[in-house]
Amino acid sequence: MTTRALVLGGGGPVGIAWETGLIAGLAEAGVDVSQADWILGTSAGSVVGAQMALGRRPEAMLHAEFAAAERAKEAQAKGPGKAPDLMPLMAIMGRRPPAGDMPTDLMIELGQLSLGAQTVSEEVFIAGFGPLAEEQPWPERYACTAVDTASGEFQVWSSQTAAPLGRGVASSCSVPAIFPAITIDGRRYMDGGMRSGTNADLARDHGKVVIVAVMPPAFAPMMMPRLEAEMTTIRDQGGDPLLLVPDAGSGEAFGMNLMDSSNREAVARAGFAQGQAEAARLGAFWG
């Protein structure tokens, strides 16, 4: 039997909303990708993937996303918050090679940016992940990604590593300069998206690989060369990748800043509609 992998890429609160809606829309149309043999999450995708691997149903995840969007609206009504400034991060990311790995010196520079930022505490950040922050076993079919801030070394957290689930997911979501680096076994880790927005090449041992990439049209020139290289790696190992990116409706709902959570409901609804529209294509592939 061909094994099936689901790869969920990074993209901030907007990415969580879109991926949640997309997966729920697919499930509503009869294609339940939460039953994948292996789920890999990076940053936003680590949150969505962990919930699915723990057995949470896509419909329940969507309702929780709507509730989170409502809370964000209420917070916005009390006083509009300032969207995070991504310019320091993007200035470094803009210097990476189009298709190759991030050079170690740039990765270490990102680590220094992460460690030097003024952010909320690790404890406050981890607590924001709700049930994922509670002590519970690591799902066997789930992994997420992070990067060591000191060495720039890439890290994959799984049931075979010592990371608690909440800290592993939080480290995968630790966007440098926005969120705190997360301490695990005495070292501090940042967002796995610093290596790649999807890290899809890690799924090269699986037969069918669905890659969900939070790629607004403006990001395509930066992201596609790396994605193409990762899909080539999968094909070279005999696997078959299928890429899902935001359609026109989803891209329009995203806005300009993936870290801006003020429009999460519209993004989730756009993802849901796209999931329903993609169900026939994905169902034929997924089997």
Side-chain angles (χ1 to χ4, degrees), residues 22-286:
L22 181 77
I23 289 162
L26 287 167
E28 177 73 15
V31 183
D32 188 359
V33 293
S34 71
Q35 299 304 308
D37 298 295
W38 191 62
I39 299 172
L40 175 70
T42 290
S43 199
S46 73
V47 178
V48 179
Q51 293 181 72
M52 289 193 296
L54 287 168
R56 196 164 191 192
R57 305 304 304 152
E59 182 182 9
M61 290 169 56
L62 183 61
H63 288 316
E65 182 59 33
F66 288 153
E70 188 59 35
R71 290 193 296 272
K73 284 182 185 177
E74 292 171 358
Q76 191 87 353
K78 293 177 182 176
K82 184 179 179 181
D85 181 10
L86 296 177
M87 291 307 294
L89 171 61
M90 297 309 295
I92 299 174
M93 295 297 286
R95 287 152 48 203
R96 73 173 300 161
D101 291 335
M102 175 74 88
T104 301
D105 60 334
L106 288 186
M107 199 72 90
I108 291 174
E109 191 174 339
L110 285 167
Q112 293 170 340
L113 176 66
S114 173
L115 295 174
Q118 295 296 315
T119 67
V120 299
S121 69
E122 291 185 48
E123 290 69 25
V124 168
F125 182 53
I126 293 168
F129 291 90
L132 293 181
E134 300 169 3
E135 187 172 340
Q136 55 189 310
W138 192 288
E140 286 289 336
R141 62 192 181 102
Y142 169 72
C144 66
T145 65
V147 174
D148 188 311
T149 56
S151 66
E153 183 179 357
F154 184 58
Q155 176 69 49
V156 180
W157 301 120
S158 71
S159 61
Q160 305 304 310
T161 62
L165 182 61
R167 284 190 172 269
V169 171
S171 72
S172 189
C173 295
S174 176
V175 181
I178 307 300
F179 300 125
I182 301 300
T183 304
I184 299 173
D185 283 348
R187 303 190 68 84
R188 300 189 72 190
Y189 294 88
M190 61 183 175
D191 196 320
M194 300 305 99
R195 176 185 183 264
S196 161
T198 56
N199 294 298
D201 53 312
L202 299 182
R204 57 186 173 271
D205 294 331
H206 294 272
K208 293 186 177 182
V209 183
V210 171
I211 304 167
V212 180
V214 185
M215 188 174 69
F219 287 25
M222 179 175 67
M223 292 182 66
M224 274 310 300
R226 176 77 197 195
L227 269 169
E228 291 287 0
E230 291 175 0
M231 289 191 289
T232 295
T233 296
I234 293 169
R235 293 187 186 102
D236 287 346
Q237 292 293 109
D240 186 10
L242 183 148
L243 178 64
L244 290 176
V245 299
D247 62 10
S250 295
E252 183 177 350
F254 275 17
M256 298 301 294
N257 189 337
L258 297 180
M259 299 303 297
D260 184 356
S261 62
S262 63
N263 201 30
R264 287 172 69 165
E265 181 178 352
V267 172
R269 292 190 183 281
F272 184 85
Q274 181 176 351
Q276 291 190 306
E278 293 275 18
R281 177 170 78 102
L282 188 55
F285 171 82
W286 197 243

